[in-house]
Amino acid sequence: MNIQELQTKINTTDYWDLPVLDFKVNFMGDEAVLYLDGESHYWELTFQRCYSLSYKTDADDPVYDRPPYMRDRHLLQIGYFGQDITVRAAKIEGFYEITMDLSMMEVEIVCKMVLVQKIEKEKMHFFWEQEGKQGT
């Protein structure tokens, strides 16, 4: 898939201002997965064959008065939203460079493949849905 086709496919999610539900890194960094909340479904963006992955969060920002660990938050406290996802050609032939602005998280990924899928809401469970959490 060329860069413009991939950018168009990502843009079809209408990610702008959608809540980010989770961001996971799996398989020793070979894969990263971003989950976005659509109206009637979730969007799953899977970045595979990752060459590099870096991210910065708001963990050092003293302005936010909230639980200290993300795992202790409920949905209304997460506060991450899709702002920008840009695809470019990476310096490595056949790889993409993806930058993401997720409000309080900035992500840079160089990967070989990107999958964009709709997921039924009933089929997914997230860390903030754990029993005993309030406000989900």
Side-chain angles (χ1 to χ4, degrees):
M1 182 176 317
N2 74 34
I3 291 165
Q4 188 56 47
E5 289 172 336
L6 178 56
Q7 184 70 65
T8 298
K9 190 169 189 173
I10 291 170
N11 290 353
T12 62
T13 66
D14 284 328
Y15 67 82
W16 301 276
D17 296 324
L18 284 183
V20 173
L21 302 174
D22 206 354
F23 180 69
K24 295 182 177 188
V25 178
N26 304 312
F27 311 116
M28 305 296 287
D30 187 54
E31 174 184 278
V33 185
L34 177 69
Y35 294 97
L36 300 165
D37 192 3
E39 280 189 36
S40 60
H41 57 274
Y42 297 128
W43 286 105
E44 179 183 77
L45 281 68
T46 305
F47 307 91
Q48 296 179 325
R49 300 237 3 239
C50 294
Y51 170 75
S52 66
L53 166 68
S54 66
Y55 62 90
K56 294 178 186 175
T57 69
D58 65 333
D60 67 342
D61 191 337
V63 172
Y64 300 103
D65 182 30
R66 57 187 179 191
Y69 299 112
M70 181 58 74
R71 68 176 175 225
D72 295 329
R73 297 179 191 174
H74 57 75
L75 177 60
L76 300 177
Q77 291 176 307
I78 294 175
Y80 289 79
F81 296 90
Q83 300 297 304
D84 184 63
I85 301 175
T86 301
V87 181
R88 296 182 188 87
K91 293 178 183 176
I92 304 169
E93 188 175 333
F95 281 72
Y96 303 107
E97 178 182 298
I98 293 107
T99 56
M100 297 188 282
D101 178 351
L102 307 175
S103 358
M104 298 180 290
M105 178 186 278
E106 296 172 2
V107 181
E108 293 182 8
I109 299 174
V110 175
C111 65
K112 183 90 172 163
M113 296 179 290
V114 180
L115 305 173
V116 178
Q117 300 178 74
K118 280 185 183 180
I119 306 290
E120 293 178 31
K121 288 195 173 191
E122 308 81 48
K123 294 186 178 187
M124 291 297 303
H125 300 283
F126 295 97
F127 69 92
W128 39 263
E129 294 175 313
Q130 294 173 6
E131 193 171 316
K133 290 205 177 176
Q134 301 298 313
T136 54

